[in-house]
Amino acid sequence: MHSYQPDLRLQLFPVSASLEKTQQGERLAIAGLDVHDLAQDYGTPLYLYDQATLQQSLEDYQQALARDYPGESRITYAGKAFLCTAMAQWCHRQGLVVDCTGANEILLAAHAGLPRQQILVHGVNKSLADLETAISCAGVLVIDNLAELDRLTQLAQQSSDLPELWLRLRPGLSVDTHSYTQTGHLDSKFGMSAQECVVAARRCLERSLPLTGLHFHQGSHFHDPSLVKPAIEFALDLVREIRHDLGWLPQTLSPGGGWGVPYHEDDLPHLPVEEYVRTIAEALHSACQARNLPLPRLQLEPGRSLIARAGVAIYRVGTVKQTPNRRWLLIDGGMADNIRPALYGARYTALPAFNPHRQPVAPAWIAGPYCESGDILIEDLPLPEIEPGELLAVPVSGAYQLSMSSNYNGAARPAVVWLEDGAPTLLISRQVAGDLYRNDRPLPQ
Ligand code: LLP
């Protein structure tokens, strides 16, 4: 059994998390709010987002960019990590661009009040509706392939005001992460080869389309920043070629996002985001110098590393069960609100919200209520004795959990509460049964 270190686990929680000593014992608080009270008021499973952590992560990026990149820079938030109206509004206030995939995310962002300049559109097989919505609402549209560029050209004839266009390069270089979240390799479904990018650039210029940027994204949740360097070099070789052949230079270069985060105490210490930003900034700077190219605007596109730590999932233990070799803690959420362990083998940790400094007993297997043996949120986790009714808090739950959630077994999507200055605000109310059959229609008579 590995050791149980609740204080180390606590480091994965939002910056505002604390253990409050009360007469009954220690109680987990976030932004000064007792997690038990929040669970009482909003029910469980419950997703909490801590404003202070989000702000801190953003400032870490902004300060690192200002310090290390001599040119202009900008940050896009990858909305696929977690998007709702309030989150889009927060991005608006912070001056962030929001990356949307598909017409519906674009419409959500526009509905939240984001102006065109703060909406950027990605997607590997954009439908006509996606392209039309991007044309009317977005400031940047990232072209994934040549067929898409031709479809866009058709649509562009009816529009006087087009978003800026970027080309998505497939550099043939991935990052070290789960194969499901690698995107930069040669056989990835995303983006265009260098040769296709040259063709795309030529078509854009011939058709007087507003081509302004070059983008690549090698994958998501990687921890070694040096893997971005060769992709930057590759992209700038392409830029040099396109400048030579066509006289075009990108105003913006976007090396995507994907910086990883620690999910488990075993992932600590984790290289800080400053190292990632510095590596990219230096690589871009020196690659431009070596090729005698002007510095482009550097636009980073983080999702997880901005929002993951701000989020905490709160579950209530319903049943404690012993099988020959396992102590099971059965909780009220699982693969419906967090598919990541089942999909990628993602490894999480959890802290009891009450008296976490109790002595550990046998490791626990934390599983959800769904009819799947794979519905195991955390395997083999050192924990104290846990009674039915206790709350477990899972840190680093802010990214790709709710955005990939489902209604499996009729699960209602959980409530989401924003914590700021000691006050909770409901951002998304918990689904009710009617939400599950709202779009259903009866059989014909
Ligand atoms: N830019 C592009 C073009 C992307 O496709 C993504 C993520 C990002 C930026 C942001 O990546 P991040 O900084 O959040 O790692 N569901 C998976 C992750 C899929 C990522 C998809 N694209 C997971 O739960 O790990």
Side-chain angles (χ1 to χ4, degrees), residues 61 78 80-81 99 122 168 180-181 183 190 215-217 219-222 256-260 263 301-306 340 343-344 399-401 404:
Y61 264 105
K80 48 183 80 68
D99 145 25
H122 273 300
R168 179 161 181 168
Y180 292 180
T181 59
T183 51
F190 297 97
H215 162 86
F216 63 84
H217 174 74
S220 189
H221 194 46
F222 63 92
W259 183 239
Y263 279 95
E301 215 165 67
R304 182 188 332 257
S305 51
L306 271 185
R340 301 193 66 262
L343 193 55
Y344 314 114
Y400 302 108
Q401 293 185 202
M404 296 202 296

